[in-house]
Amino acid sequence: MAALVSGAPAVVVEAVAGVVTAAAAAGSLFAAASRATDRRRALAWRWLAGGSVTWLAGVGVRPIADGAPFVVTFADLVLLAGTAMIAVGAALSAARPARGHALLRDLADSYVCAAAIMVILWVSLVGPVYGDAGDAGDAAVSFASPLFCLILACVVGPAVVPIRRSAWPVGLAALAVLAAVATSETITALARVNGDTPSLTWVWLAPAAFLVLAAVPWSGPATRSPDPSDDEPAIRESTSSLIAAVPLFLVAVATVVVLLRVISGGVQGPPAVLASVCASIVAVLLVRLFVTLLETGRLRSLLHLGERQLHDLAESAGDVVLLCDYDGVVRQIGEGVEITYGYRPDDLVGRKIFDYIHPEDVPGIQEALRAMSLEEEAEEGPGACMVACRVRASDGTWRPAESVATRHVRGDDLLLVTTRDISDQEALRSQVAHLTFHDGITGLPNRAYFEERTREVLARPGASNVAVVFLDLDGFTAVNDSVGHASGDYLLGQAARRLRAAVRADDTLARWGGDEFAVLLEAPVDAQTAVDLAERLVRTVSSEPFRVADRDIALTASVGVAFAADDVSSADLIRNADVAMARAKELGGRRVEVFAAHMHADVVRRLELAADLQRALLENQFAIEYQPVVDLATSRVTAVEALVRWCRGGEFVPPEQFLGPAEDTGLIVPLSEWILRESCREVAAWRASAWEIGLSLNLSARQIMAPRFVETVEAALVESGLPPSALTLEVIEEMLVEDAEETITRLSELRALGVRLAIDDFGTGYASLAFLRQLPVDMIKIDPSFVSGLGRDETLTLLTRTIVRLGHDLGLIVVAEGIERPEQLELLREMGCTRGQGFLVARPMAARGVDSLMRTSLSSLGTPA
């Protein structure tokens, strides 16, 4: 009793310091748990706070309970309960708890660590005290509490140390509290057995740990900024290995301590205690070994199952799986080799894989295997490689394959190789490449291939004698319109076969697009040879009709030829051939044109002219002049023909220079609509002044075929107030021949409005009389080429007389164009031609000139107006 009283101050200090620091830790942890967003972390901190409260209760009651006649008091039990709760909180701060074999392994390791530490303490400290104790049973019970705390620290430690999460500092602080409590309890037990008072130095150990636990939740997350150079998995694996080695290390230390103590004079205290502890360590180690064997067996079965599944998966996917060494000798091979390549597996085992690989691919594979062997010796590198090769099948064919070689997980200097036959993929890739650079209709190379091939040929030395030939099928558009696009494609296929037979074997024939073909004369040729080939292509196309849709279709071809020069690129060479072909088509087709520099200049000028036409329409640069049409008998002006004029930048542009480009670009449609509206408005104003005159306008083919053309004419008449009978629309005979059915339909609709129709340049067309029967025409205009020969050429005079008589017989108005000489006028009057126009009668003039002309009423026809 005296001893207990003498130790009261230290116990009191321990109680006060423990209560204060544990209370601080409990309050801090409860506050942090209420603010935590992670439910698991909040739960761990509540357990730690609850354990701190329970522990401080035990420490606070201990000074009073130490006077009791019991070795283990109620205060000790409360303190141990609090310690257990702190251990639970520390475990929750760690990773997910282990289960099954892992839990049994962790418990065994924890007990071995605790027992080994206990042996060390027994031999060095507890044994002598235990021997001197009056009651050995009381002494043994006194050391039960520190042993329990030690076991708890050993159980929690392996789970807390390796983690790298934001809860890690709290877990470490809790582990420090457990270690401090275990140490403090050990010192207290030693003091109790000796009847001494614990040193004040050790009394502050547990309170200091609780202060750290109170501060850690507010220190911020313990996570570091990611560093690409860190190898976190490797560090974690190393930490786990060190922790797994701790039990064995402690057992070894304990064994050395016991041996040294035995050698130096023996172990004090009852040997049964030490023997029991050592026996328990051995028993637990046996359990640990058994668990390890179970895990090893399970891992081995999982490894075997994984290999089997990988093997089955590879073979189900059509791969061939084999094991070979670094020299290429086959040790084992799957049955898929018989399905894929036709070999029996037993026939390949023991033979080298190089015997079945294409000789050109063998060096690369040998180098890859050699590199993998060096990497394995150096224990570095990925341990895998992918190679492409050709494998010989049992039928002797070479099949492309892709192989992946990896180091076998069982070692033995073996490689696991999976080989896949990619013949189908290669065939598909080749097909895609063919479709990319070949035309699907004709089977010929396409535009992309032709351009690339031309670049390659021109890049060769001495490529100046290279030529490109462009060919266009004349009239092919009508084929699609008449028999359909499918039959048109069939005709293109026939044309491609004819052209392929006509060109040389070393020339490249391609379908450029639509009905255009291109030929690249790769071998050096002279100009005459290229022209001869071009003419042969023209004859090939037109030699005989194409048989399509049970009918014969005759086509011709327009061909252009261009020769390479030193400074001509492939794009310019192809463009030049295209320009020459367009020139041949403009000249009527079925001919060959060789590119000349002026052709490109003409194309550029036409493009510039088209752009200027677009701008002229927007800026109202066009004007209208009117050429009077007079009654040859009375000299009265009966009508005017509207003619468009263009002044570009103060310079007069002749109509023959811009009407063609306007027709080609489609600008003729808006231009003609403007002429129609303006001239109708002007003539309607003259008619409102009691001048009964008519208006004549020329129509273009594109204008007639324009959408809503008839509605446009009707709208212009309504807006201007001009009677439909006062408007005469003129068409040339060639327009009636081309696309005749549609043209006659449109003109008939105009005729139904009351508009008059005239055939311009009559006598120069192809089927005048036939169309005079089909189309209700009101007027024919004699071409100036006939009028120019009157009085000088008997044949032209006779033809003119015949046309005039034909017009009278059909009840048509006959107008003679191009009257320039008095004798022409007299002969036309004699023939009975009723109307005429020309420079002798009146030149084209602005609207003001027409006003003056009609006021003077032309006193004489002998002097040009």
Side-chain angles (χ1 to χ4, degrees):
M1 180 64 67
L4 291 174
V5 173
S6 64
V11 174
V12 172
V13 170
E14 179 185 16
V16 173
V19 169
V20 173
T21 56
S28 174
L29 289 167
F30 272 125
S34 64
R35 299 179 57 183
T37 57
D38 186 351
R39 295 179 59 186
R40 181 178 176 83
R41 183 188 307 174
L43 179 62
W45 290 355
R46 289 191 182 98
W47 272 95
L48 292 174
S52 300
V53 171
T54 305
W55 188 88
L56 71 86
V59 171
V61 178
R62 174 174 279 181
I64 302 174
D66 278 351
F70 303 103
V71 176
V72 177
T73 65
F74 173 76
D76 294 330
L77 296 178
V78 175
L79 186 144
L80 292 177
T83 305
M85 293 177 67
I86 293 174
V88 173
L92 291 175
S93 298
R96 296 293 177 181
R99 292 183 176 86
H101 291 166
L103 177 60
L104 186 60
R105 178 196 62 206
D106 291 345
L107 291 177
D109 289 346
S110 301
Y111 180 80
V112 169
C113 290
I117 294 173
M118 190 63 192
V119 168
I120 296 172
L121 293 176
W122 179 273
V123 173
S124 59
L125 296 175
V126 179
V129 175
Y130 185 86
D132 298 336
D135 190 345
D138 291 346
V141 173
S142 298
F143 285 104
S145 176
L147 178 60
F148 178 73
C149 295
L150 180 62
I151 292 175
L152 289 178
C154 292
V155 170
V156 174
V160 173
V161 172
I163 66 172
R164 288 292 188 274
R165 299 191 297 118
S166 58
W168 188 43
V170 177
L172 287 180
L175 183 61
V177 169
L178 292 175
V181 170
T183 304
S184 176
E185 288 301 302
T186 302
I187 296 172
T188 301
L190 288 172
R192 281 180 175 180
V193 173
N194 287 330
D196 297 332
T197 301
S199 173
L200 286 175
T201 303
W202 298 103
V203 165
W204 294 101
L205 186 61
F210 274 106
L211 284 178
V212 174
L213 183 59
V216 165
W218 308 98
S219 62
T223 55
R224 298 173 300 168
S225 58
D227 187 354
S229 63
D230 288 347
D231 192 356
E232 186 68 24
I235 295 175
R236 186 175 302 172
E237 183 178 356
S238 301
T239 305
S240 300
S241 300
L242 290 175
I243 293 175
V246 167
L248 297 178
F249 173 76
L250 292 176
V251 169
V253 172
T255 304
V256 172
V257 170
V258 171
L259 290 176
L260 292 176
R261 177 65 67 177
V262 170
I263 295 173
S264 62
V267 179
Q268 299 181 12
V273 176
L274 183 61
S276 299
V277 175
C278 293
S280 67
I281 293 176
V282 173
V284 172
L285 285 177
L286 289 175
V287 173
R288 179 71 170 85
L289 178 61
F290 177 73
V291 173
T292 302
L293 291 176
L294 290 178
E295 289 185 347
T296 303
R298 184 175 63 86
L299 292 176
R300 186 179 291 109
S301 63
L302 289 176
L303 177 61
H304 179 72
L305 177 62
E307 288 182 352
R308 183 70 259 173
Q309 290 177 343
L310 178 61
H311 186 276
D312 294 342
L313 178 62
E315 291 200 341
S316 65
D319 295 352
V320 177
V321 182
L322 60 95
L323 288 176
C324 69
D325 56 23
Y326 287 100
D327 294 328
V329 178
V330 178
R331 301 293 182 84
Q332 184 181 343
I333 192 167
E335 297 178 356
V337 69
E338 187 170 1
I339 300 174
T340 305
Y341 294 107
Y343 297 110
R344 294 179 55 193
D346 295 340
D347 296 338
L348 298 181
V349 175
R351 304 192 62 175
K352 289 190 175 184
I353 60 175
F354 307 124
D355 298 337
Y356 304 93
I357 297 176
H358 197 282
E360 296 178 358
D361 301 332
V362 169
I365 297 178
Q366 289 177 334
E367 181 64 27
L369 295 181
R370 191 178 304 111
M372 290 187 65
S373 176
L374 295 176
E375 290 173 358
E376 183 178 14
E377 293 177 359
E379 296 183 354
E380 60 182 16
C385 70
M386 176 180 288
V387 294
C389 61
R390 288 162 288 180
V391 179
R392 187 184 67 221
S394 60
D395 58 4
T397 59
W398 294 102
R399 301 184 186 178
E402 287 182 349
S403 299
V404 178
T406 58
R407 298 174 189 163
H408 196 241
V409 292
R410 297 182 181 178
D412 301 330
D413 293 335
L414 293 179
L415 294 174
L416 177 64
V417 182
T418 59
T419 299
R420 172 169 297 181
D421 182 9
I422 58 172
S423 300
D424 294 340
Q425 293 92 318
E426 286 295 321
L428 180 61
R429 190 178 296 114
S430 300
Q431 183 179 3
V432 170
H434 183 273
L435 292 176
T436 303
F437 293 104
H438 286 75
D439 176 55
I441 296 176
T442 63
L444 296 176
N446 59 13
R447 177 174 181 169
Y449 179 89
F450 189 84
E451 291 176 336
E452 180 64 26
R453 186 60 182 168
T454 304
R455 281 193 292 268
E456 293 176 356
V457 172
L458 289 182
R460 299 174 182 172
S464 58
N465 292 328
V466 174
V468 170
V469 177
F470 250 57
L471 180 144
D472 179 86
L473 299 177
D474 300 326
F476 179 76
T477 303
V479 175
N480 281 336
D481 295 340
S482 60
V483 299
H485 288 275
S487 297
D489 293 344
Y490 179 69
L491 187 150
L492 288 175
Q494 295 184 56
R497 288 190 291 273
R498 289 192 192 182
L499 297 175
R500 178 71 269 179
V503 301
R504 301 178 302 179
D506 53 354
D507 295 335
T508 298
L509 171 65
R511 184 190 176 198
W512 185 255
D515 58 344
E516 295 180 349
F517 297 85
V519 182
L520 175 63
L521 282 66
E522 300 185 17
V525 294
D526 54 23
Q528 190 58 47
T529 302
V531 172
D532 291 343
L533 173 63
E535 292 177 347
R536 185 163 66 249
L537 295 178
V538 173
R539 293 193 299 270
T540 298
V541 172
S542 59
S543 59
E544 58 179 324
F546 294 90
R547 187 68 179 174
V548 178
D550 297 329
R551 67 177 69 179
D552 291 333
I553 297 179
L555 294 179
T556 60
S558 300
V559 180
V561 182
F563 297 96
D566 294 336
D567 57 345
V568 173
S569 64
S570 60
D572 290 341
L573 178 61
I574 294 173
R575 181 207 62 197
N576 294 343
D578 192 12
V579 170
M581 181 270 293
R583 178 64 175 170
K585 205 168 187 65
E586 290 177 1
L587 295 177
R590 197 175 182 177
R591 60 185 296 140
V592 176
E593 285 291 323
V594 179
F595 176 79
H598 69 84
M599 293 182 180
H600 182 249
D602 292 343
V603 172
V604 173
R605 281 195 298 270
R606 289 173 71 89
L607 291 175
E608 293 176 350
L609 188 62
D612 291 344
L613 280 171
Q614 184 82 34
R615 187 163 46 253
L617 274 173
L618 297 175
E619 298 176 357
N620 297 321
Q621 296 179 8
F622 293 100
I624 300 176
E625 289 187 350
Y626 300 91
Q627 185 172 25
V629 179
V630 300
D631 187 324
L632 297 183
T634 63
S635 301
R636 184 176 61 86
V637 177
T638 60
V640 290
E641 181 177 357
L643 304 174
V644 64
R645 297 292 184 259
W646 181 22
C647 187
R648 180 176 60 174
E651 180 182 355
F652 176 76
V653 182
E656 58 270 15
Q657 290 186 10
F658 69 85
L659 289 180
E663 179 82 15
D664 295 339
T665 58
L667 293 174
I668 192 67
V669 175
L671 177 60
S672 299
E673 291 179 0
W674 177 81
I675 297 172
L676 174 66
R677 291 194 305 271
E678 290 296 315
S679 58
C680 285
R681 182 181 58 78
E682 193 71 50
V683 173
W686 291 333
R687 292 178 64 87
S689 301
W691 296 333
E692 294 296 327
I693 62 172
L695 171 65
S696 293
L697 287 175
N698 289 293
L699 297 180
S700 68
R702 183 165 290 204
Q703 184 182 7
I704 294 176
M705 296 304 170
R708 301 183 59 82
F709 168 63
V710 177
E711 289 83 352
T712 301
V713 174
E714 184 178 10
L717 293 173
V718 172
E719 292 174 4
S720 63
L722 184 69
S725 59
L727 177 62
T728 302
L729 299 178
E730 304 176 7
V731 295
I732 59 176
E733 295 180 41
E734 185 178 351
M735 292 167 51
L736 298 176
V737 175
E738 296 181 359
D739 212 354
E741 184 176 352
E742 182 68 20
T743 302
I744 292 176
T745 300
R746 293 290 182 92
L747 294 179
S748 298
E749 293 175 2
L750 290 173
R751 192 66 178 81
L753 293 176
V755 175
R756 296 187 177 188
L757 300 179
I759 297 180
D760 196 13
D761 300 336
F762 187 82
T764 60
Y766 304 94
S768 303
L769 296 179
F771 285 104
L772 286 177
R773 182 177 58 84
Q774 297 179 28
L775 186 65
V777 177
D778 301 282
M779 181 185 303
I780 56 176
K781 302 184 73 172
I782 304 174
D783 188 75
S785 62
F786 292 96
V787 177
S788 64
L790 291 178
R792 297 179 179 178
D793 189 316
E794 294 182 0
T795 301
L796 292 177
T797 303
L798 177 61
L799 289 174
T800 303
R801 190 182 300 276
T802 302
I803 294 173
V804 173
R805 185 181 300 115
L806 175 65
H808 289 168
D809 294 341
L810 294 176
L812 303 177
I813 299 174
V814 180
V815 180
E817 296 182 285
I819 303 175
E820 297 180 353
R821 302 192 310 274
E823 62 268 25
Q824 295 172 345
L825 178 60
E826 293 300 327
L827 284 173
L828 289 170
R829 282 175 173 173
E830 179 187 343
M831 295 176 185
C833 182
T834 55
R835 296 182 184 178
Q837 64 184 103
F839 286 179
L840 180 67
V841 177
R843 292 179 179 274
M845 60 189 70
R848 293 190 302 272
V850 177
D851 289 338
S852 301
L853 180 63
M854 286 189 296
R855 287 191 179 95
T856 58
S857 297
L858 286 181
S859 60
S860 173
L861 293 179
T863 303

